[in-house]
Amino acid sequence: MDRIAVRGKRPLSGTVTISGMKNAALPILYACVLVNGVCTIENVPNVRDVTMSIDILRDMGATVKEVAGNTFEIDCRPVKQGTSNDELVKKLRASYYLLGAELGRFGRARVSMPGGCNFGGSRPIDQHIKGFEALGATVRTAGEVVEVEAPGGVVGDDVFFDTVTVGGTINIMLASVTAKGNTLIENAAREPHIVDLANFLNTCGAKISGAGTDVIRIRGVKELRGSRYAIIPDMIEAGTYMVAAAATGGCVRIENVIPKHLEAVTAKLEDIGAIVEEADDAVIVTGRERLNATRIKTRPYPGFPTDMHPQMSALLTRAHGTSIVVEGVYENRFKYADELKKMGADITVNGHTAVISEVEELHGAEVEAVDLRAGVAMIIAGLIADGETTITNINYIERGYDDVVGKLRRLGADIETVRD
Ligand code: EPU
C-alpha cells in the first residue's frame, strides 16, 4: 500500500508556491459543458480530483488537451447528455456539478450519486434538488441515480437556500446561466470559488452579478462562448502551509496567494502567537517555540473554513493550554481525532466539539488519512512529532494537494512517498 513517511522535528523554511484552487477548478471544468466553444483554462492544479473530472468529461465526448503545464484546452461541444460513467462519477463529489451543467445545456441530466470525502455524517443534496425544482425541473432519484428534467427548458426564478451550500449554489448557477429569464439565489455561499466560477462564466458571456455576497443575480443568456481564464490560488492549500510553518516553528514565504482569502486563518494564527506578514501576493508565516491554545468554530466563508480545521487541530495538540474546536458546517468531521491519539495527542470529541489539551510531545506512529484534509493534518502532526510517522490511504491526500511531498521537501521536511 502506498504511504507517506515523515520524520519530524525540522522547522520548515523557504518559499512555497501555491497551485490553482481545486474547489474552483472542479466547477469550472464542469461548467465547460455549457460552453459553445473552446475554453482555455490556466493554473489548473495537478490533483487527482481534477484528473478524474477530466476523465469523466473525455469519456462523455469532450476534447481536453494539456497545451502547457497546468493549462488545458477544453471543448465540450461533442459531449452527449446522460453519458457520464457511473463508476467514475461515484469516485468524487464534484461530479454532481454535471447535474446543473447538463440540465442547463440539454434540459435534462442523469448522474449517479457522487462520492467524495466521507466525514462520518450525511452529505445530503436536498437544497440542490429544491433549487432545480424552483427552476421548473422535476427530479427523480432511482437507486443511486439522480435524474433531473425540465422538458420546456430551465426557467429562471427565485431560489432560497435553507442552508448555505457551496455545491448547491454552484449547481443552481450552472443550471440557470443559460435559462430563460432571471434567477435570484438567496442565502448563497460566498466562497472565493463561487466568485471564480461567476468570473469564468462571465468571461464566456454570462450575466452574473453579486457573487461573493449572499444574493446572486443571474440574467439568463442564449449562449456561452469559449474564453481564456486562470483559476485563483488555492486558499486551503495556502492555509495548510501556513499552519505547517507555524506548527514546526519555521518561517515560510507562501507565494501566489490572495491574502484576503486567508484572513480567517491569519487571524487565528496571530491569535495563538505566530507572526503573519502580508505582501501583495504572498504571506510569510513565522512560528514560535511555543504557541497558545485557542477556540475555533468553523463557518461558511468568510468564517474559519471547515477545510482547515483538521490541520489546525494537529497544530493545537502542542499549543500551550486547552483548545476548543467546534465544527459548524458538517455533522461530523472528527474521524481524524483517533489517528492523532495514536501519536499521543490528548483529544476528546463530544458531538460537534473537540477539546484538545497540550501534550509535551507527539510521537511518530502508523496512521491513516481518513479523508483529504484529515490526511494532510497527519502530515502536519508527523512534521512536529518525534520519530517517524507513516500515513496510509494517501490517495485521499493526492486527490486535493498538488505535489505536497515535493513542496514540503523543498521546505526542508524529511518526507517521502513510498510506493509498493
Ligand atoms: N447541505 C445540506 N443540503 C444540501 C447541501 C449541503 O444539508 O443540499 C449541508 C451539508 O451536509 C453540509 C453543509 O450543508 O453540512 C455545507 O455543505 P456544502 O454544500 O457547502 O459543501 P459541498 O459543496 O459538498 C464543498 C467543498 C468541500 C467543503 C465544503 C464547505 C467541493 C468539491 N467541496 O463541499 O471541500 O468542505 O464545500 O466549504 O468544493 C475539501 O476540499 O476537502 C472539501 C470537503
Side-chain angles (χ1 to χ4, degrees):
M1 194 197 284
D2 293 346
R3 54 205 186 276
I4 291 175
V6 195
R7 286 159 291 272
K9 296 211 142 213
R10 287 182 170 211
L12 298 181
S13 79
T15 299
V16 62
T17 303
I18 297 308
S19 300
M21 186 171 191
K22 167 184 81 88
N23 288 348
L26 293 169
I28 287 174
L29 286 174
Y30 291 103
C32 291
V33 168
L34 290 159
V35 178
N36 189 15
V38 178
C39 295
T40 305
I41 312 293
E42 300 170 8
N43 205 28
V44 178
N46 184 10
V47 298
R48 202 162 294 158
D49 273 11
V50 163
T51 42
M52 283 197 282
S53 294
I54 290 174
D55 288 346
I56 289 171
L57 291 175
R58 280 192 177 130
D59 193 59
M60 296 175 78
T63 310
V64 184
K65 286 188 226 154
E66 186 165 6
V67 288
N70 304 101
T71 300
F72 288 82
E73 262 178 21
I74 302 169
D75 183 356
C76 285
R77 284 173 293 188
V79 160
K80 292 198 179 54
Q81 188 274 322
T83 56
S84 56
N85 178 300
D86 290 350
E87 291 316 307
L88 286 177
V89 159
K90 280 191 218 157
K91 290 188 180 153
L92 81 159
R93 188 153 186 86
S95 58
Y96 66 7
Y97 295 143
L98 278 172
L99 285 173
E102 284 191 28
L103 181 63
R105 170 157 164 200
F106 302 106
R108 56 195 299 170
R110 180 209 167 275
V111 181
S112 242
M113 283 298 278
C117 284
N118 169 10
F119 300 134
S122 64
R123 294 181 75 183
I125 60 162
D126 57 300
Q127 296 303 306
H128 305 231
I129 292 173
K130 177 182 162 178
F132 293 141
E133 286 173 345
L135 301 178
T138 49
V139 182
R140 277 185 307 274
T141 42
E144 292 193 313
V145 173
V146 185
E147 286 181 284
V148 188
E149 189 171 3
V154 183
V155 182
D157 209 327
D158 291 1
V159 175
F160 184 92
F161 285 126
D162 301 325
T163 186
V164 178
T165 155
V166 171
T169 304
I170 288 173
N171 249 334
I172 299 312
M173 286 167 74
L174 295 174
S176 61
V177 67
T178 52
K180 287 185 209 121
N182 300 334
T183 299
L184 187 73
I185 307 177
E186 292 185 79
N187 201 21
R190 293 184 279 167
E191 269 68 2
H193 30 302
I194 304 279
V195 180
D196 212 35
L197 173 65
N199 287 342
F200 164 66
L201 289 168
N202 284 344
T203 64
C204 297
K207 298 252 178 287
I208 303 173
S209 59
T213 75
D214 59 0
V215 180
I216 300 178
R217 287 167 206 279
I218 302 165
R219 198 136 53 85
V221 294
K222 276 229 160 65
E223 188 180 78
L224 297 178
R225 315 172 290 276
S227 76
R228 188 175 191 100
Y229 191 78
I231 288 168
I232 52 168
D234 195 317
M235 65 181 203
I236 304 298
E237 189 196 15
T240 300
Y241 287 101
M242 291 170 77
V243 170
T248 59
C251 177
V252 176
R253 182 181 171 89
I254 298 148
E255 285 190 337
N256 187 32
V257 302
I258 299 173
K260 172 107 191 103
H261 296 168
L262 304 171
E263 276 173 358
V265 175
T266 297
K268 237 350 126 185
L269 287 177
E270 288 178 336
D271 185 39
I272 63 173
I275 300 162
V276 183
E277 296 158 80
E278 287 183 8
D280 282 350
D281 66 348
V283 288
I284 300 130
V285 178
T286 310
R288 288 238 173 93
E289 175 68 17
R290 192 163 134 126
L291 296 167
N292 298 316
T294 189
R295 297 174 73 91
I296 293 177
K297 179 164 185 184
T298 68
R299 296 180 198 277
Y301 189 84
F304 189 90
T306 173
D307 291 344
M308 280 303 304
H309 114 218
Q311 302 89 313
M312 275 303 278
S313 293
L315 177 155
L316 293 173
T317 56
R318 291 211 44 229
H320 181 55
T322 298
S323 299
I324 311 279
V325 178
V326 181
E327 174 53 43
V329 174
Y330 289 108
E331 269 176 28
N332 190 338
R333 202 175 188 169
F334 288 113
K335 284 203 297 185
Y336 66 85
D338 286 337
E339 304 305 304
L340 285 178
K341 281 190 205 167
K342 290 179 190 163
M343 300 176 71
D346 181 349
I347 306 190
T348 313
V349 177
N350 191 356
H352 291 273
T353 304
V355 179
I356 306 174
S357 299
E358 174 185 13
V359 290
E360 188 115 325
E361 191 121 86
L362 293 185
H363 53 78
E366 180 158 324
V367 292
E368 192 187 333
V370 294
D371 63 58
L372 164 58
R373 309 299 171 189
V376 87
M378 294 307 129
I379 294 183
I380 293 174
L383 290 172
I384 55 179
D386 187 32
E388 179 164 315
T389 298
T390 308
I391 302 156
T392 58
N393 220 6
I394 61 169
N395 63 313
Y396 269 125
I397 300 172
E398 291 171 345
R399 291 177 69 153
Y401 282 89
D402 192 344
D403 190 25
V404 64
V405 168
K407 288 185 184 187
L408 285 170
R409 280 174 78 90
R410 289 190 283 283
L411 294 174
D414 185 352
I415 182 169
E416 64 191 322
T417 306
V418 183
R419 304 226 181 252
D420 281 340

